[in-house]
């Protein structure tokens, strides 16, 4: 498998606190799930991969290029889309304006991309003129994901896209994740608490425990015992 994203011995964290403690990760054309308990470092890892948190050690390569010290707009322009755990939208812009911000990256006509994301998330179409700050939690998550897709990414980093949302919404969103991967040929790194749902959609899985990673496993081989150990329960 040819890796698209390659992290080698990366360390990162916050002013003096190391959260990610020397982690190796290789992501190819797949859905790669990062599981782990609250505080394990999932969001820190994804923000590091998106280049929002600096590396204090190690290297990060994307598509054969060293992006270890690239700023986030460079990694975005190279094809890394990022949907943070919090809403990640401009609240005072409309849904459509938020989506157009995403389309500032990439070459294709923005209306072509808009048609694709509206097909993926039909609810967005009806709300295109609504201010993003007035959307419900689930609607915000869809628009944030759609905004990242408007960048025509080749790798999408999704940080707990369904946290706190109703079961019907969760099922629908996981189906969309599968569609994005299969139909739009986008690799996905998915940070998740919801191990059951993540294992349904993921090809490979890693469990983070306090910033340290388990072996990478095929999703089909993950057992309850492995999860209990990783989640320290
Ligand atoms: N801005 C920050 N400054 C200092 N410490 C932080 C900051 N953000 C996160 N941390 C700490 O880093 C550790 C990892 O947090 P992180 O948000 O990456 O975990 P997580 O796995 O995403 O958890 P959750 O499932 O609750 O979202 C935690 O101990 C947290 O307190
Ligand atoms: Mg998190």
């Amino acid at each position: 498998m040819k890796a698209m994203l390659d992290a080698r011995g990366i360390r990162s964290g916050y002013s003096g606190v190391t959260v990610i403690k020397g982690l190796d990760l290789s992501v190819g054309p797949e859905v790669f799930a990062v599981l782990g308990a609250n505080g394990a470092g999932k969001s820190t890892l994804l923000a590091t991969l998106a280049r929002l948190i600096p590396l204090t050690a190690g290297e990060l390569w994307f598509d054969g290029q060293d992006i270890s010290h690239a700023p986030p707009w460079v990694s975005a322009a190279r094809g890394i889309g990022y949907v943070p755990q919090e809403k990640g939208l401009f609240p005072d812009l409309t849904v459509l304006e938020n989506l157009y911000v995403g389309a500032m990256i990439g070459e294709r006509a923005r209306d072509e991309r808009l048609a694709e994301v509206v097909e993926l998330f039909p609810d967005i179409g009806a709300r295109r003129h609504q201010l993003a700050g007035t959307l419900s939690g689930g609607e915000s998550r869809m628009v944030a994901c759609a905004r990242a897709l408007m960048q025509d990414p080749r790798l999408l980093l999704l940080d707990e896209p369904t946290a706190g949302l109703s079961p019907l919404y969760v099922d629908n969103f996981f189906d969309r994740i599968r569609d994005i991967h299969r139909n739009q040929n986008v690799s996905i790194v998915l940070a998740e608490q919801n191990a059951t749902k993540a294992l349904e959609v993921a090809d490979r899985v890693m469990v983070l425990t306090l910033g340290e990673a388990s072996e990478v496993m095929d999703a089909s081989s993950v057992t309850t015992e492995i999860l209990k150990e990783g989640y320290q329960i």
Side-chain angles (χ1 to χ4, degrees):
M1 183 184 73
K2 192 173 177 298
M4 175 178 276
L5 183 79
D6 217 345
R8 301 177 194 158
I10 58 168
R11 291 171 72 87
S12 73
Y14 310 93
S15 54
V17 186
T18 300
V19 175
I20 301 300
K21 299 168 182 145
L23 183 142
D24 296 317
L25 173 70
S26 237
V27 180
E30 62 183 320
V31 177
F32 189 101
V34 178
L35 306 180
N38 289 123
K42 303 180 297 296
S43 295
T44 306
L45 174 62
L46 259 60
T48 305
L49 299 177
R51 303 300 318 113
L52 292 162
I53 300 180
L55 295 187
T56 52
E59 289 178 10
L60 187 61
W61 291 72
F62 180 66
D63 211 12
Q65 291 187 299
D66 185 352
I67 58 160
S68 308
H69 302 288
W73 55 91
V74 168
S75 63
R78 295 248 169 94
I80 300 181
Y82 172 53
V83 183
Q85 188 166 358
E86 297 306 323
K87 287 182 178 177
L89 295 172
F90 297 104
D92 299 328
L93 298 184
T94 65
V95 167
L96 197 57
E97 287 163 345
N98 269 279
L99 295 176
Y100 284 165
V101 171
M104 290 167 82
I105 287 174
E107 313 263 297
R108 288 192 305 141
R110 69 180 188 183
D111 286 344
E112 192 181 321
R113 302 189 229 178
L114 182 66
E116 286 172 10
V117 299
V118 170
E119 192 178 336
L120 199 58
F121 298 110
D123 292 351
I124 287 179
R127 302 199 173 269
R128 62 178 70 203
H129 299 300
Q130 189 170 334
L131 290 182
T134 64
L135 295 171
S136 74
E139 290 161 355
S140 299
R141 303 304 295 162
M142 282 189 233
V143 175
C145 189
R147 183 197 49 71
L149 285 173
M150 290 290 283
Q151 294 174 209
D152 267 347
R154 279 170 306 129
L155 174 72
L156 189 59
L157 308 170
L158 289 174
D159 195 348
E160 298 207 43
T162 63
L165 302 172
S166 63
L168 197 61
Y169 174 88
V170 173
D171 287 347
N172 179 41
F173 201 96
F174 275 91
D175 288 345
R176 296 293 80 73
I177 291 174
R178 205 175 265 138
D179 291 345
I180 292 165
H181 173 56
R182 289 199 186 144
N183 306 343
Q184 308 204 5
N185 208 11
V186 176
S187 299
I188 294 177
V189 177
L190 172 70
E192 262 301 334
Q193 283 280 351
N194 187 338
T196 312
K197 292 305 297 182
L199 290 172
E200 280 175 29
V201 75
D203 297 295
R204 294 192 305 152
V205 179
M206 180 175 95
V207 186
L208 269 186
T209 310
L210 296 175
E212 306 213 41
S214 69
E215 297 279 304
V216 173
M217 297 161 277
D218 284 336
S220 56
S221 67
V222 176
T223 60
T224 316
E225 280 66 38
I226 291 172
L227 289 176
K228 280 186 176 162
E229 193 181 321
Y231 281 70
Q232 298 189 330
I233 48 175

